Amino acid sequence: MPEWLVLTLAMLAACAVVVIITVVRHRTAPDDEDPSETPDVIEYMTMWIGVVYAIVLGLAIAGVWEGRSAAQDHVQAEAVALHEISERVRIYPADIRDRIREDVNAYVGHVVTTEWKTMADDGRMTERGTELLQRVREDVTDYEPRTDFEAQAYQPLLDQVTAADQARNARANSTGETMPGVVWFGLIAGGVVTIGMIFALQIRRTPRELVLAGLFSALIAFLLFLIWDFDAPYSRGVTASAEPFLELFPQAKD
C-alpha cells in the first residue's frame, strides 16, 4: 500500500473517530448539560497537556530526522573513502591497480543494486557485501610497496579502507528502526490523552467545533506518521539514498 494512502487513511480515521465520539456524546448528554460550565482547572490541564505533548512530538521528529541525516552521512563517507581508494592506487603497478579498482567497483555495484534492496526490504546488510569489502581490504594490505613513492601512499590507502569499513558498520547500525517501543507507546498514548481532553471540554456538535476537533486529530495523526516514516532511514518515505555511490561510481548504474 502506498505511503500517501496510509497517511490519508490514518488522518481520515482520526477525524472520523473524533466526529463519531462527539456525535454519540451529544446524543447521550443530559438535556440540562451546559458546556460553558467547564471547570477552569480542566481548561488549564488541557492547555498544559497540549504543550507538553507538542514538545515531545517535536523532540521525536527532530530525533528521527537526525537519524535519517546521519544515515545519509554514513553513505557519503563510505562512497568517498572507496573513491579515494580507486584514485590513490594509480601509482601502483597496472595489474595491482586494476585488480583493486575492479574489486571496488564490484563492491559498489553490489551495494547499489542487491544490498540496498535488502536493506530496504529486510533491514539488514548482505554477507556478500562484507566479503567484497574484505577482498578490497586484502588487495590493499597484501601488496608490499616496491618504491618509496608507493610506501608513502600505502598508509593513506589503509586509512581509507578503515574509513570505508567504519562507514559500512555505521550504515549497518542505521538500517533498522531507531525509536524504542516504549517511546511509541508514549507517543500514541499521549495523542489519545491529548485528543481525549477535547471531550473533557464538553465539545458539542456545532460545525465549527467539529471541524477544529477533526483538524486537530488529523494533525496529530500526520505528525505520528511523519515520525514513523523517518524512523527507518533506508526503507520508508524520505529515505537516505545511494546517490553518493552513483555520483562517484557512474558505472555502478549498469
Side-chain angles (χ1 to χ4, degrees):
M1 182 181 297
E3 293 190 0
W4 65 267
L5 182 57
V6 174
L7 172 60
T8 301
L9 293 176
M11 295 176 68
L12 290 176
C15 293
V17 169
V18 170
V19 171
I20 292 172
I21 293 178
T22 302
V23 171
V24 172
R25 186 181 181 281
H26 175 75
R27 291 182 176 179
T28 58
D31 295 335
D32 59 349
E33 184 181 30
D34 185 4
S36 64
E37 294 182 354
T38 302
D40 293 340
V41 66
I42 293 182
E43 295 182 358
Y44 181 79
M45 290 173 58
T46 301
M47 178 189 70
W48 277 107
I49 288 175
V51 170
V52 171
Y53 188 63
I55 294 174
V56 172
L57 279 177
L59 291 175
I61 292 174
V64 293
W65 178 255
E66 182 180 355
R68 187 264 177 198
S69 299
Q72 188 65 59
D73 291 342
H74 300 328
V75 177
Q76 181 72 33
E78 185 177 2
V80 170
L82 292 169
H83 184 258
E84 284 295 309
I85 294 172
S86 293
E87 293 299 319
R88 290 173 183 266
V89 295
R90 63 186 179 83
I91 65 171
Y92 279 14
D95 57 334
I96 303 298
R97 178 186 65 230
D98 293 343
R99 184 174 75 244
I100 293 177
R101 286 179 174 175
E102 287 176 2
D103 288 341
V104 170
N105 291 336
Y107 171 75
V108 173
H110 176 78
V111 168
V112 300
T113 55
T114 305
E115 187 166 77
W116 206 267
K117 188 176 185 302
T118 302
M119 289 166 54
D121 296 342
D122 303 330
R124 63 178 179 84
M125 310 287 272
T126 63
E127 294 183 1
R128 178 59 176 168
T130 303
E131 293 173 359
L132 290 174
L133 185 59
Q134 179 60 28
R135 184 184 300 173
V136 174
R137 179 188 294 276
E138 292 173 356
D139 290 342
V140 174
T141 57
D142 291 351
Y143 176 71
E144 183 177 352
R146 301 172 185 175
T147 65
D148 291 341
F149 192 29
E150 292 179 0
Q152 291 174 3
Y154 182 74
Q155 186 58 49
L157 273 172
L158 290 182
D159 293 341
Q160 294 302 322
V161 171
T162 301
D165 187 50
Q166 290 175 343
R168 175 180 171 81
N169 290 333
R171 178 161 60 88
N173 293 332
S174 302
T175 54
E177 298 179 354
T178 58
M179 296 286 286
V182 65
V183 176
W184 274 115
F185 174 80
L187 290 174
I188 295 174
V192 172
V193 171
T194 302
I195 295 175
M197 292 303 294
I198 296 176
F199 306 108
L201 293 175
Q202 300 182 8
I203 185 174
R204 303 306 289 264
R205 202 174 55 176
T206 63
R208 180 181 62 181
E209 291 176 325
L210 285 177
V211 169
L212 290 176
L215 290 177
F216 181 68
S217 60
L219 175 62
I220 291 181
F222 170 75
L223 294 176
L224 290 175
F225 176 85
L226 196 64
I227 295 171
W228 174 83
D229 202 39
F230 287 158
D231 192 28
Y234 297 107
S235 59
R236 299 182 192 140
V238 186
T239 61
S241 71
E243 194 61 29
F245 285 111
L246 299 177
E247 289 179 353
L248 297 176
F249 298 91
Q251 68 278 6
K253 299 180 182 179
D254 301 331

